[in-house]
Amino acid sequence: MTCLEVQSKIIAYIDFNLEKDEKTEFLKHVQNCRDCKEELNIYYTMIEGMRQLDGNMPLTKDFTEELNERIARELKYHKKKREFFRSSVCIVIVGIMGFLIFGYVNFLNILHEDEQAKIKEAQGEYYFSETFDPLLFEPFKEDNRINVNVNTEEPEMDFYEKVRQHNMLK
């Protein structure tokens, strides 16, 4: 904002008639420009003094201090509002990222479980063959379920034949 624009909006600022964006730019310029701040101070003192006299109110002792407090209060309000907006946006972004990560991990778990189920299904009844190994491959058992004689010259049975015999004994 230029000095000419600021000076044309001094009365609108004093009367609380500036838009939010205009007010922020106006206040930033007034803080950095000594001439515009002095012009604002003169108008503020004159207009507020007249209002207080017309309203039969006691006059403010220091209009400059009152103006500085108003500017500081409004800048602080805009700063807090901007910080709140930024923090809200950050919280939303972090929430979305968390949701996406959680969804991705769940998707991977479901995919893993599905793959494991397919592997188990493809292996069929022999999936747990390691569980039966001691039962099926020991030559002599006390419970006589499987009678394999090591001394005979019979050809040794393959694994699947032993599983079939084991299942038939049940």
Side-chain angles (χ1 to χ4, degrees):
M1 212 176 245
T2 65
C3 289
L4 189 58
E5 290 174 326
V6 168
Q7 290 175 3
S8 68
K9 296 181 183 200
I10 287 176
I11 294 176
Y13 171 75
I14 293 171
D15 291 337
F16 299 97
N17 290 332
L18 284 181
E19 300 278 329
K20 293 176 185 178
D21 296 333
E22 284 181 327
K23 187 189 301 184
T24 304
E25 288 181 39
F26 177 86
L27 292 173
K28 285 180 182 177
H29 180 87
V30 166
Q31 274 189 321
N32 297 323
C33 182
R34 197 168 126 183
D35 293 333
C36 291
K37 175 115 182 193
E38 186 176 325
E39 191 79 20
L40 175 63
N41 194 11
I42 291 169
Y43 275 96
Y44 184 80
T45 302
M46 186 174 63
I47 292 172
E48 283 300 311
M50 294 295 284
R51 284 184 185 155
Q52 288 177 6
L53 286 173
D54 288 343
N56 291 327
M57 296 187 294
L59 285 176
T60 302
K61 293 181 181 181
D62 192 1
F63 286 103
T64 305
E65 183 181 329
E66 186 177 295
L67 176 64
N68 289 336
E69 287 174 4
R70 177 179 168 185
I71 291 172
R73 185 176 56 248
E74 289 176 352
L75 284 173
K76 187 176 180 180
Y77 172 76
H78 288 293
K79 184 179 178 183
K80 282 185 177 183
K81 196 172 184 180
R82 191 176 36 225
E83 288 173 357
F84 177 76
F85 177 75
R86 286 180 184 163
S87 62
S88 299
V89 168
C90 288
I91 288 171
V92 168
I93 289 172
V94 168
I96 290 172
M97 287 176 56
F99 179 74
L100 289 175
I101 290 171
F102 178 74
Y104 181 69
V105 168
N106 272 348
F107 173 73
L108 288 180
N109 284 339
I110 290 169
L111 188 64
H112 177 71
E113 288 173 4
D114 186 47
E115 287 176 356
Q116 292 300 314
K118 286 179 182 177
I119 290 171
K120 188 175 179 180
E121 184 180 310
Q123 290 175 338
E125 64 184 64
Y126 303 111
Y127 183 73
F128 296 104
S129 65
E130 290 180 5
T131 307
F132 299 117
D133 281 350
L135 265 177
L136 297 174
F137 294 112
E138 289 180 7
F140 300 103
K141 284 303 261 178
E142 293 178 11
D143 61 359
N144 292 325
R145 277 200 247 165
I146 300 174
N147 257 339
V148 178
N149 193 350
V150 177
N151 296 332
T152 64
E153 295 295 325
E154 293 179 19
E156 196 169 311
M157 290 186 276
D158 68 338
F159 172 75
Y160 298 114
E161 185 61 35
K162 290 180 181 181
V163 169
R164 282 188 202 98
Q165 281 184 0
H166 176 75
N167 288 338
M168 289 172 46
L169 290 176
K170 287 184 177 182

